[in-house]
Every structure is written in C-alpha cells, then in structure tokens.
Amino acid sequence: MVRGKTQMKRIENPTSRQVTFSKRRSGLLKKAFELSVLCDAEVGLMVFSPRGKLYEFSSTSMAKTIERYKSHSKDSANHHNRVTEQNIQQLKFETAALQKKIQFLEASKKKLLAENLDSCSIEELHQTEAKLEQSLQKIRGKKNRLLEDQMAKLREKQAALLRENGALRQKVEEQCKMQQTREQTVPVTEGTPSNEEEQKIEVETELHIGWPPVRSPKTNKAVKKHSE
C-alpha cells in the first residue's frame, strides 16, 4: 500500500498528534546519533513536547555544547559588529569627500557666473577666464555643427524639390505635345465649315426694339419687283 503525502499542517486529533510526535522524536534522536557516530560530529539536540517535557541528546556534553555555541555566536556577533563599524567609517570618509567635492564645484560655479570674485586672486581669475574660453569654443563648435547639419538638410530638400519640379514640367510638356498631335490628326468632316470658311461667312442681323414695323402695300410691291 502506497503511503500518501503528509500535509504540513497541525494535526487536530490529540491522539494522532501525540503518536506522530513520539515516532518523529524517536526518528530525530536516532538520526542525530547516527550523524555523530558516522561523521564524528559534535551534535546537541533538544526537543520539548507540547506538554513541556524535555528530550535531549548530546554526543559529548550538552552543557559543553551550549557553551561552545554561545562562544561561537559571540564571535560571530563581534565579527559582524567589526564589519559594520568598518563599513560605517568607510561611508563617513566617502561622505566627507563628496561634501568637499560639492563645495569645490559650487565655488567654481559661482566664479563662472561672476559671483564672489572679490576673494579671487589674479591666478584664479586667469584660470576662470581660460575655462570660460574653452567653454565658449565648445559651444561655438557645437553650434556650427548644428548649423551645418541644418544647411545640409535644406540642400537635400531643395534638390528634391527641383527634381520634382523638373518631373512635373516634363509631364506638362508631354501632355501639351500630345494635345497638339491630336488636334493635327483630327479630320474635317463634310458639311462642317473649316476655320477659313467660318471666317468668310458674314452674317447680317438687325436688332429691333419694340413692335415690328408695319410695311405699306407700296413697300411690298417694291420688294417684289426687286426680288424679280
């Protein structure tokens, strides 16, 4: 029969809990004894039952083992304290160095801004002037590089616009040539006057405002004779 996996939680049944404690306690003491014999190790084990009863095992002497443990713990604590103190001293040294560096940088900044120059010597003023000249050279160099980059981009944009303009001009010229070719190849249909004939046709029109004039019989006769 396969044993199921034991859940790591408190056993609610008091009887089962006591039986489990007795079995596990005996096994733990046995393992401690085997470890001390097989590995020649100094082992000290103390177990208190739920009712407060003490069960212990020691390969030599429990008091000796406890004293050794206290001594080891004290040495470890002292070593830890020494390391902590050394770290604190190192941090204090680094903090002081950083404070001095900050003070130096603040003083240099004030000199560059022309503040508190009364306490500066001629040599310090010369050094400050040299630093400002170097800064100005760097700033001008950076400015010139940026302007050159902008000019290069503008030239590229101009060249692209010129190419686009040339392509559009060529396209328009081709369309004009095609239109002229179509006009030249279109035939003149019969019954449709050409441009020269249209210019020769004269049209006479008269514009009258009001009621049309009434012609007399004599006028009609004259018109008939003239038509004959």
Side-chain angles (χ1 to χ4, degrees):
M1 182 176 180
V2 180
R3 294 180 59 185
K5 185 177 180 181
T6 304
Q7 296 182 358
M8 290 293 104
K9 66 178 183 178
R10 183 175 181 274
I11 300 173
E12 298 297 334
N13 191 342
T15 305
S16 300
R17 186 168 60 246
Q18 182 63 33
V19 171
T20 303
F21 174 77
S22 300
K23 291 181 178 179
R24 298 295 177 98
R25 181 201 63 206
S26 300
L28 182 60
L29 294 174
K30 182 179 179 181
K31 292 293 183 182
F33 172 74
E34 291 176 354
L35 180 63
S36 63
V37 174
L38 295 175
C39 302
D40 194 18
E42 184 178 355
V43 179
L45 175 63
M46 291 187 297
V47 179
F48 289 92
S49 68
R51 296 179 181 179
K53 187 176 180 180
L54 174 63
Y55 299 90
E56 63 179 15
F57 168 79
S58 178
S59 58
T60 56
S61 172
M62 182 60 70
K64 183 180 178 181
T65 304
I66 292 174
E67 289 295 329
R68 184 177 180 182
Y69 170 77
K70 289 181 179 180
S71 176
H72 185 271
S73 299
K74 186 176 180 180
D75 293 340
S76 299
N78 292 334
H79 177 72
H80 179 72
N81 292 334
R82 285 195 300 271
V83 172
T84 303
E85 187 176 357
Q86 291 176 0
N87 292 334
I88 292 173
Q89 293 296 330
Q90 182 67 22
L91 290 174
K92 288 181 179 179
F93 177 77
E94 292 178 357
T95 303
L98 289 175
Q99 288 178 352
K100 290 181 180 179
K101 189 174 182 180
I102 291 170
Q103 292 176 358
F104 176 77
L105 292 174
E106 288 179 352
S108 300
K109 179 182 176 181
K110 290 181 179 180
K111 291 178 183 178
L112 293 174
L113 295 175
E115 296 178 359
N116 297 331
L117 297 178
D118 296 335
S119 60
C120 295
S121 62
I122 296 176
E123 184 178 358
E124 290 177 350
L125 292 175
H126 280 303
Q127 293 177 356
T128 304
E129 185 180 5
K131 290 179 180 179
L132 289 174
E133 289 292 338
Q134 293 177 358
S135 300
L136 286 174
Q137 290 178 0
K138 293 180 181 179
I139 292 170
R140 288 167 183 161
K142 181 64 176 179
K143 181 181 177 181
N144 292 332
R145 286 194 296 272
L146 292 175
L147 290 175
E148 290 176 358
D149 294 340
Q150 290 181 358
M151 292 295 295
K153 291 179 180 178
L154 290 175
R155 292 192 193 97
E156 292 177 358
K157 188 175 181 180
Q158 182 183 10
L161 291 174
L162 291 174
R163 289 193 297 269
E164 185 177 356
N165 191 15
L168 291 174
R169 185 183 293 109
Q170 184 178 1
K171 187 176 180 181
V172 171
E173 291 176 356
E174 291 177 355
Q175 290 179 355
C176 292
K177 291 180 181 179
M178 292 175 64
Q179 185 67 23
Q180 292 176 359
T181 305
R182 290 197 193 98
E183 291 177 354
Q184 292 176 359
T185 56
V186 173
V188 180
T189 58
E190 295 182 358
T192 303
S194 62
N195 293 332
E196 296 179 356
E197 293 176 351
E198 288 179 355
Q199 293 177 0
K200 292 179 180 180
I201 296 174
E202 295 180 357
V203 179
E204 294 181 359
T205 59
E206 292 182 1
L207 179 63
H208 297 278
I209 299 174
W211 293 99
V214 179
R215 296 180 179 181
S216 62
K218 294 181 180 182
T219 306
N220 293 333
K221 289 179 181 182
V223 173
K224 288 181 180 181
K225 289 180 181 181
H226 180 71
S227 62
E228 291 177 354

